[in-house]
């Protein structure tokens, strides 16, 4: 328990908005962490196996930290209970993170598009008026920098520095993934309150920064982002509507916990 | 009655569970040490990597070490008041890393540029003619490198 801080008293409305916002962030992190961990033992080369496993471990740590904020500042359940006992409909992750790992080009493109959004989101949150989140943002930025570095290195390697086949496969994954990635920025009901309270500027602001950054990286990599006008963002995740893939993943993830909630490993 | 200096000295004997040549003080994870008027030792710590499984272990080690001293209570808290980075490693800590075969992270000013990873000095021969093979290694705090000079693969404690 973080005893050194006075807890800011927010209105019920603002408190609900902030809680929903934190759940969105942490659910994304935990679900993508689990998906990334599915590359353990399967990576195309050993270093990639280790990289995806390490990134998974970082992201699991980040989600734990955000669930801890919910627990300590909003009286939500402890992080393990939050992670292991909720059903699909209680999760507010975007569809992008819940899809199976697919082939390596999909996982890599998802890694770039998601982690770049994470990096920019936490950069914005470093100045959040909600101090526990601002402190966490200052903490995780160094780790996320490595995630983005890894993604950009490989996208460039397979794009501009690759051959025709590698480039075509990454481009095809990009076309498939772009509408899903726009789902990261699905607005929440309480976003206006968060903005007014200087907690978070808004998903629209983040999406704009992200589009600029991702376009510049893809240009360097000899790849093209589909036009925003040609695609329909995949929304629904933030409202608890999910793909057929989330519940089976959660069922697998919680298997040990459901057999023995006190198991340690 | 033990003093604040006694606590710092005691914590210099508590080693990183994965790098036994570096103490928690030299690792830079101890951010504050105080003794209250009613003789309670209070230590504040900051985590290295968010997902590092050793953090709880470190916290318990600190608590157990201080419980051996003549205090009427021991409180150890992990918080993010001061975010950890590798510039917090002491000179002694950097020597400890090298002793364990890990290349110490370059000290940096301002914002860390990750291209420094391409020329980490080899802990075996000292050459900077090295390549980074992967920014991720066997633990969250290590990266993988290869020395073109002596032909050895090595690990670095990566800059954060």
């Amino acid at each position: 328990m973080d005893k050194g801080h006075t807890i800011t008293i927010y209105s019920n409305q603002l408190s609900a908005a902030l809680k929903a916002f934190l759940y969105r962030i942490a659910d994304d992190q935990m679900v993508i962490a689990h998906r990334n961990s599915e590359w353990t033992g399967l990576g195309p080369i050993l270093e990639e196996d280790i990289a995806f496993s390490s990134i998974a471990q970082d992201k699991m740590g980040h989600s734990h930290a955000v669930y801890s904020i919910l627990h300590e500042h909003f009286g939500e359940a402890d992080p393990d209970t939050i992670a292991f006992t909720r059903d699909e409909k209680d999760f507010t992750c975007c569809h992008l993170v819940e899809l199976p790992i697919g082939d390596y080009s999909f996982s890599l493109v998802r890694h770039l598009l998601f982690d770049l959004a994470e990096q920019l989101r936490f950069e914005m949150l470093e100045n959040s008026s909600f101090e526990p989140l601002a402190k966490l943002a200052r903490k995780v930025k160094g780790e996320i920098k490595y995630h983005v570095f890894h993604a950009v290195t490989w996208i460039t390697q397979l794009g501009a520095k690759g051959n025709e086949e590698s480039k075509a496969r990454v481009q095809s994954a990009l076309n498939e993934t772009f509408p899903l990635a726009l789902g990261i920025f699905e607005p929440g009901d309480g976003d206006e309150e968060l903005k007014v309270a200087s907690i978070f500027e808004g998903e629209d602001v983040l999406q704009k920064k992200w589009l600029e950054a991702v376009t510049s990286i893809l240009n360097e990599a000899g790849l093209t982002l589909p036009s925003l006008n040609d695609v329909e963002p995949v929304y629904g995740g933030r409202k608890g509507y999910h793909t057929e893939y989330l519940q089976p993943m959660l069922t697998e993830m919680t298997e040990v916990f459901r057999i023995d909630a006190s198991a340690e490993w | 009655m033990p003093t604040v200096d006694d606590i710092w000295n005691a914590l210099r004997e508590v080693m990183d569970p994965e790098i036994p040549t570096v103490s928690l003080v030299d690792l830079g994870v101890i951010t504050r040490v105080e003794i209250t008027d009613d003789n309670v030792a209070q230590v504040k710590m900051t985590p290295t990597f968010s997902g590092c499984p050793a953090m709880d272990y470190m916290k318990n080690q600190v608590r157990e070490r201080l419980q051996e001293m003549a205090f009427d209570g021991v409180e150890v808290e992990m918080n993010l008041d001061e975010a950890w980075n590798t510039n917090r490693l002491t000179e002694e800590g950097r020597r400890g890393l090298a002793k364990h075969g890990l290349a110490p992270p370059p000290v940096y000013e301002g914002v860390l540029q990750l291209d420094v990873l391409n020329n980490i000095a080899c802990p075996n021969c000292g050459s900077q003619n090295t390549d980074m093979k992967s920014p991720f290694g066997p633990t969250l705090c290590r990266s993988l490198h290869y020395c073109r000079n002596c032909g050895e693969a090595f690990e670095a404690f990566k800059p954060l």
Side-chain angles (χ1 to χ4, degrees):
Chain A
M1 185 80 190
D2 208 350
K3 292 189 211 101
H5 307 283
T6 46
I7 293 172
T8 315
I9 306 297
Y10 290 135
S11 72
N12 286 345
Q13 210 178 0
L14 182 55
S15 182
L18 182 48
K19 258 170 33 179
F21 180 59
L22 292 169
Y23 269 114
R24 265 147 56 187
I25 295 175
D27 288 349
D28 272 1
Q29 290 167 329
M30 191 186 73
V31 173
I32 196 75
H34 190 87
R35 286 304 186 198
N36 284 342
S37 80
E38 291 176 345
W39 279 107
T40 307
L42 298 177
I45 52 171
L46 179 63
E47 284 81 358
E48 281 312 277
D49 195 312
I50 296 171
F52 268 89
S53 308
S54 300
I55 293 167
Q57 200 179 333
D58 279 338
K59 299 221 179 285
M60 201 54 90
H62 299 170
S63 71
H64 187 276
V66 179
Y67 288 139
S68 296
I69 292 177
L70 280 159
H71 177 54
E72 289 165 12
H73 295 269
F74 296 93
E76 296 290 284
D78 68 279
D80 277 357
T81 305
I82 294 176
F84 289 130
T85 64
R86 289 178 305 153
D87 285 328
E88 169 201 87
K89 63 174 170 29
D90 303 320
F91 275 76
T92 50
C93 54
C94 59
H95 292 191
L96 174 72
V97 294
E98 63 195 52
L99 292 179
I101 55 176
D103 73 355
Y104 187 64
S105 59
F106 169 72
S107 275
L108 196 59
V109 167
R110 168 164 69 180
H111 167 38
L112 173 74
L113 299 183
F114 178 77
D115 285 10
L116 194 60
E118 281 276 280
Q119 184 173 51
L120 297 167
R121 183 185 295 279
F122 280 106
E123 265 174 27
M124 287 165 71
L125 289 174
E126 277 185 57
N127 303 313
S128 174
S129 67
F130 181 52
E131 196 53 30
L133 194 53
K135 277 184 191 163
L136 182 65
R138 294 192 276 269
K139 167 69 197 163
V140 301
K141 69 172 174 182
E143 294 164 24
I144 297 176
K145 182 187 278 193
Y146 274 94
H147 302 176
V148 172
F149 174 71
H150 174 262
V152 172
T153 304
W154 275 105
I155 292 282
T156 313
Q157 190 64 42
L158 297 173
K161 296 181 187 167
N163 60 24
E164 232 169 81
E165 192 197 342
S166 67
K167 199 170 161 181
R169 288 178 68 168
V170 177
Q171 183 63 55
S172 157
L174 198 56
N175 298 344
E176 180 199 344
T177 312
F178 182 54
L180 287 156
L182 291 172
I184 298 172
F185 315 105
E186 178 182 353
D189 292 337
D191 286 6
E192 191 53 35
E193 274 111 42
L194 298 179
K195 191 175 176 174
V196 172
S198 301
I199 291 172
F200 179 64
E201 267 184 284
E203 300 294 338
D204 52 338
V205 176
L206 174 58
Q207 179 175 312
K208 193 163 170 285
K209 288 175 193 270
W210 177 84
L211 277 171
E212 275 170 29
V214 89
T215 303
S216 142
I217 290 166
L218 292 176
N219 282 345
E220 289 280 312
L223 299 159
T224 319
L225 196 67
S227 162
L228 201 54
N229 302 323
D230 297 340
V231 298
E232 188 67 36
V234 178
Y235 286 169
R238 306 303 189 200
K239 304 254 187 299
Y241 301 111
H242 295 286
T243 64
E244 63 195 292
Y245 303 108
L246 181 60
Q247 188 56 52
M249 192 207 92
L250 295 173
T251 305
E252 184 187 290
M253 192 186 79
T254 56
E255 197 176 350
V256 176
F257 187 85
R258 281 181 287 111
I259 294 168
D260 178 3
S262 64
E264 285 186 35
W265 65 91
Chain B
M1 296 265 272
T3 64
V4 164
D5 279 348
D6 293 333
I7 296 181
W8 282 106
N9 286 331
L11 296 182
R12 281 191 185 92
E13 296 161 14
V14 181
M15 302 315 231
D16 180 303
E18 281 168 344
I19 310 167
T21 49
V22 178
S23 79
L24 299 191
V25 173
D26 291 319
L27 187 61
V29 295
I30 311 290
T31 50
R32 230 167 129 176
V33 170
E34 280 172 329
I35 301 171
T36 65
D37 293 341
D38 42 1
N39 195 37
V40 173
Q42 288 181 331
V43 173
K44 302 250 195 302
M45 299 175 68
T46 186
T48 51
F49 284 75
S50 312
C52 179
M55 296 319 300
D56 271 347
Y57 188 85
M58 288 185 196
K59 201 172 142 184
N60 288 336
Q61 278 181 306
V62 168
R63 184 179 296 113
E64 280 168 22
R65 180 64 189 87
L66 297 187
Q67 278 166 349
E68 292 166 15
M69 300 169 77
F71 290 114
D72 294 322
V74 173
E75 290 171 10
V76 186
E77 184 192 321
M78 189 80 75
N79 67 37
L80 296 174
D81 288 353
E82 290 178 45
W84 181 84
N85 61 56
T86 45
N87 283 345
R88 296 181 62 96
L89 279 158
T90 64
E91 273 310 307
E92 187 62 32
R94 303 170 66 78
R95 277 193 293 274
L97 288 173
K99 217 163 138 188
H100 197 61
L102 293 170
V107 177
Y108 60 92
E109 277 174 39
V111 177
L112 168 68
Q113 302 297 331
L114 290 184
D115 48 14
V116 297
L117 287 163
N118 292 322
N119 298 100
I120 299 281
C122 170
N124 303 304
C125 72
S127 168
Q128 286 194 307
N129 184 15
T130 63
D131 279 338
M132 183 193 66
K133 302 310 271 184
S134 174
F136 298 99
T139 65
L140 292 182
C141 51
R142 303 185 196 186
S143 48
L144 302 176
H145 303 258
Y146 175 75
C147 177
R148 288 163 174 268
N149 186 50
C150 70
E152 290 281 344
F154 66 92
E155 292 172 11
F157 193 90
K158 67 194 195 193
L160 189 78

